[in-house]
Amino acid sequence: MSTKRSPLNRLRRSLGLETQNEWPSVARERLLAYGLLAVYVLIIWFPIYYIFITSLKPSSEVLSLPITFLPQNPTAQNYVDIFTNRPFDNYTINSMLVATTTTLICITLGTVTGYSFSRFDFMGNKSLLLSIVGARMIPPIALIVPFFQIMSNPPLIGGFTGSLYDTRLALILTYTFFNLPFAVWIMKNYFDGIPESLDEQARIDGCSRWEAFVKIILPMAKPGIAATAILAFIFSWNEFVFALVLTSSEQAQTLPIAVSLFVADDFVDWAHLAAGGMIAALPGILFGLFFQQYIVSGLTQGAVKE
Amino acid sequence: MSIEKSPLRRKLDKLFVPLTVGPTLLWIAAIIVYPTAKLLFSSLQFRNPVTNEIEFVGLRNFRRLIFAREGGQAALGVFNPSFVSITTNTAIYVGFSVSISFLLGLGIALLLDKDLKGRGWFRTAVIVPWILPYVMSGLMWRWMFQSDFGAINGALQRLGIISGNIPFLSDGALAMVALIIADVWVFTPFIIIILLAGLQNVPEQLYDAAEVDGASRWSRFWNVTYPFLKPSILVALTIRIIFDIRALDLVWVMTQGGPGKSTEVWASWLYRTAQVFNEPGSGAALGVVLLAVTFAIVASLYKIFGESPYQA
């Protein structure tokens, strides 16, 4: 007799199998669902696994037959190489700085603006909000030409800054273009979910609007801010096309560009590319594994409004 | 007691909205309105690549882009593949990727919507491909599809399905298939997440009621699930289609539009014209077309589903 707490029994319960000899349709259906999901997960993780083991193979093994699906002589040499023979430290710092600064700007402005759009009926607020969100509909790639021109020769501030081409600042300015409208939208929807009576209570207690916002509402909005921050960070970290157009040297190039540089005209250095790719993919994998619920809530706040 | 407010506080309170909304609006105006205006303006210009002289050409860029190349304009015409074939490629790429990833995503979302143990774990495992840098994913798939040392040929051979190597990326049609597979791999998670959120809005009691009424599985989906899922479907499709039309990353790192022009899409063509071939005028004109197509697609999806994806 097995005890009630045995893993087998727990499994049976979760499958909806109450008695020993029955296989109700619920159980069959759930087993099928588990099976299909497991197959799907295995298939979608295989490429990630494959690039990971490629990054651990010495270059000679990468280009030898038959292909191995387990590295024969695993080594971290590729990772050492890309930091010693190539400026991967610079690329990583650039990526960190650009993504972090963009994220800070987007959550700061996105939060205060989102709050105002959620709470106040000011002149044209509806159409203003719509045009901010609508701005996100502009295909970014359509704007590579003007962005290149503007960054090479910035209007108004150009006399002070000189050309912004090949600077991290150019990327930061550009990435706020992708992320700020999205941040305003997510935060507005998040604040909509916080009851307005809380603001009023704080006001009655003698808080100014600013105090009510900073002391009462902002702490409640932390999950929304986290969601916005993670998405803004990931989007800026992963961006490729504008980085390709607006930078040309290691002083501003980011990891996605660095990875693409392993592709020469007719030769690709796959072993090192895989190592660089793993470095570039790391935040995505970590965020996905640990902050999945924030990503999901940010995406659905930003995209679907109940 | 601090009930009475100092004049400064009152003034600051009055300025709450301008101070919180103002900077964002200025920022967005500077970073979106100005470049967009410049885009429209550039699309009417032609820059001589040799002398760098800028000439106002009216709608000639558009004419050259959309209609047949003009004999006298060979300087640009030589490089421009026909608009029709690239539009067809774009339609094939977007059409297949979006519909396959939509159906696959809907299926997975419906599976995940069941009250399964470890659902959070599955969701975590499922979301990752979407969060990786697209360039990394594109190169990863290029490596997988590599003909001599690629994992796909290797696996297919080991399983005894094929004997020789399939040249996935050097055959035009196969390269398009490879692109679509990579695209589906990257973007199915997005569909899953948006649809799963929508499925969560369906009231449980309705399912029970439908079951009691003896409704078939299909009719339960169509009459109970679908109406609640419609807004999510609209959002998922809109964002997905728009993104695929404009996205360059995957195409550029996997095939660069090749072999030949077989996987050239609007986005890669725009990049090629504007950057590689240094023709900002033609690139801007294509950018304007892309803009118009995007808005047309959003408007027609809105019409079909009768709802705005961006309800304020």
Side-chain angles (χ1 to χ4, degrees), chain A residues 106-120 129 182-199 209 212-226 228 297 301-302 305, chain B residues 16 20:
Chain A
C106 287
I107 55 174
T108 310
L109 289 177
T111 304
V112 294
T113 310
Y115 178 75
S116 274
F117 274 119
S118 161
R119 291 298 193 260
F120 300 109
L129 184 62
F182 197 61
V184 171
W185 188 243
I186 300 179
M187 288 315 299
K188 191 253 173 200
N189 287 343
Y190 198 86
F191 286 123
D192 282 348
I194 299 176
E196 213 163 329
S197 57
L198 287 169
D199 307 50
R209 283 207 188 293
F213 171 60
V214 174
K215 287 186 187 160
I216 311 293
I217 306 300
L218 210 49
M220 300 189 66
K222 273 183 196 156
I225 297 174
T228 313
S297 71
Q301 295 274 354
K305 202 186 160 211
Chain B
F16 191 90
T20 51

Side-chain angles (χ1 to χ4, degrees), chain A residues 197-241:
Chain A
S197 57
L198 287 169
D199 307 50
E200 283 154 19
Q201 191 58 46
R203 301 271 289 142
I204 290 166
D205 291 345
C207 287
S208 71
R209 283 207 188 293
W210 297 91
E211 286 168 340
F213 171 60
V214 174
K215 287 186 187 160
I216 311 293
I217 306 300
L218 210 49
M220 300 189 66
K222 273 183 196 156
I225 297 174
T228 313
I230 288 174
L231 283 173
F233 187 91
I234 291 174
F235 288 152
S236 336
W237 179 275
N238 291 351
E239 205 285 329
F240 171 70
V241 177

Side-chain angles (χ1 to χ4, degrees), chain B residues 141-176:
Chain B
W141 279 101
R142 182 166 160 182
W143 174 223
M144 303 263 299
F145 280 120
Q146 214 263 359
S147 60
D148 301 319
F149 303 102
I152 295 185
N153 271 324
L156 290 178
Q157 281 176 12
R158 197 158 300 185
L159 293 171
I161 298 173
I162 54 169
S163 50
N165 285 327
I166 300 175
F168 287 106
L169 294 176
S170 43
D171 175 282
L174 287 176
M176 183 57 94

Side-chain angles (χ1 to χ4, degrees), chain A residues 29 34 44-45 47 54 67 113 116 137 142 173 176-177 203 206 208-210 234 238 240 244 292 300, chain B residues 9 12-13 20 24 27 31-32 39 114 117 123-125 131 135 140 143 150 158 185 197 217 246 271 298:
Chain A
E29 218 167 83
Y34 276 120
I44 62 168
W45 273 81
T54 303
I67 296 158
T113 310
S116 274
M137 305 284 261
L173 293 172
T176 53
F177 149 67
R203 301 271 289 142
S208 71
R209 283 207 188 293
W210 297 91
I234 291 174
N238 291 351
F240 171 70
L244 184 65
Q292 171 260 118
T300 46
Chain B
R9 269 182 69 169
L12 272 176
D13 264 13
T20 51
T24 301
W27 189 280
I31 221 150
I32 294 178
L39 172 81
K114 287 179 196 290
K117 278 231 166 82
R123 216 166 53 170
T124 300
I131 321 170
V135 167
M140 185 185 77
W143 174 223
R158 197 158 300 185
W185 183 83
R217 199 176 279 254
R246 63 162 72 144
Y271 178 74
V298 175

Side-chain angles (χ1 to χ4, degrees), chain B:
Chain B
M1 287 296 233
S2 64
I3 296 288
E4 98 271 15
K5 292 167 188 164
S6 66
L8 179 67
R9 269 182 69 169
R10 216 172 300 158
K11 205 166 245 170
L12 272 176
D13 264 13
K14 273 205 173 140
L15 288 175
F16 191 90
V17 171
L19 283 176
T20 51
V21 177
T24 301
L25 285 183
L26 283 177
W27 189 280
I28 289 181
I31 221 150
I32 294 178
V33 178
Y34 180 72
T36 309
K38 208 164 160 60
L39 172 81
L40 296 175
F41 200 62
S42 307
S43 71
L44 305 176
Q45 295 176 330
F46 170 71
R47 191 176 79 192
N48 188 316
V50 183
T51 59
N52 264 345
E53 265 169 41
I54 291 174
E55 193 190 333
F56 182 81
V57 292
L59 295 175
R60 277 221 317 259
N61 285 327
F62 291 93
R63 201 170 66 191
R64 193 180 299 118
L65 180 75
I66 297 170
F67 301 105
R69 60 174 82 135
E70 300 162 56
Q73 302 288 332
L76 287 169
V78 170
F79 296 113
N80 278 5
S82 100
F83 186 71
V84 177
S85 94
I86 286 171
T87 305
T88 313
N89 285 347
T90 311
I92 291 173
Y93 176 58
V94 176
F96 278 98
S97 318
V98 171
S99 37
I100 295 171
S101 69
F102 177 77
L103 292 175
L104 185 62
L106 178 64
I108 302 289
L110 287 171
L111 284 178
L112 279 173
D113 189 47
K114 287 179 196 290
D115 188 25
L116 293 180
K117 278 231 166 82
R119 184 164 72 179
W121 191 89
F122 274 120
R123 216 166 53 170
T124 300
V126 162
I127 200 176
V128 168
W130 183 73
I131 321 170
L132 302 183
Y134 302 140
V135 167
M136 205 297 270
S137 305
L139 289 168
M140 185 185 77
W141 279 101
R142 182 166 160 182
W143 174 223
M144 303 263 299
F145 280 120
Q146 214 263 359
S147 60
D148 301 319
F149 303 102
I152 295 185
N153 271 324
L156 290 178
Q157 281 176 12
R158 197 158 300 185
L159 293 171
I161 298 173
I162 54 169
S163 50
N165 285 327
I166 300 175
F168 287 106
L169 294 176
S170 43
D171 175 282
L174 287 176
M176 183 57 94
V177 172
L179 270 184
I180 291 170
I181 291 176
D183 195 85
V184 166
W185 183 83
V186 170
F187 290 106
T188 306
F190 174 78
I191 304 264
I192 296 175
I193 282 154
I194 300 292
L195 294 189
L196 196 54
L199 284 172
Q200 243 108 84
N201 290 337
V202 186
E204 200 68 35
Q205 307 94 291
L206 284 183
Y207 282 125
D208 300 340
E211 202 147 357
V212 170
D213 290 350
S216 73
R217 199 176 279 254
W218 177 246
S219 114
R220 253 183 290 163
F221 175 78
W222 202 243
N223 295 315
V224 181
T225 315
Y226 177 72
F228 283 93
L229 206 53
K230 225 163 81 168
S232 305
I233 293 178
L234 176 63
V235 168
L237 285 182
T238 314
I239 297 182
R240 189 69 185 80
I241 293 173
I242 291 173
F243 196 91
D244 252 18
I245 291 180
R246 63 162 72 144
L248 172 66
D249 319 41
L250 281 183
V251 177
W252 194 253
V253 298
M254 278 182 76
T255 66
Q256 294 216 355
K261 291 274 172 266
S262 52
T263 58
E264 189 87 302
V265 291
W266 280 349
S268 60
W269 192 21
L270 196 163
Y271 178 74
R272 198 185 300 284
T273 331
Q275 285 298 314
V276 183
F277 298 134
N278 199 13
E279 293 165 18
S282 304
L286 184 52
V288 173
V289 171
L290 218 54
L291 204 71
V293 170
T294 304
F295 281 113
I297 288 175
V298 175
S300 51
L301 279 170
Y302 169 84
K303 263 255 146 58
I304 293 169
F305 287 87
E307 231 166 316
S308 162
Y310 297 112
Q311 296 153 310

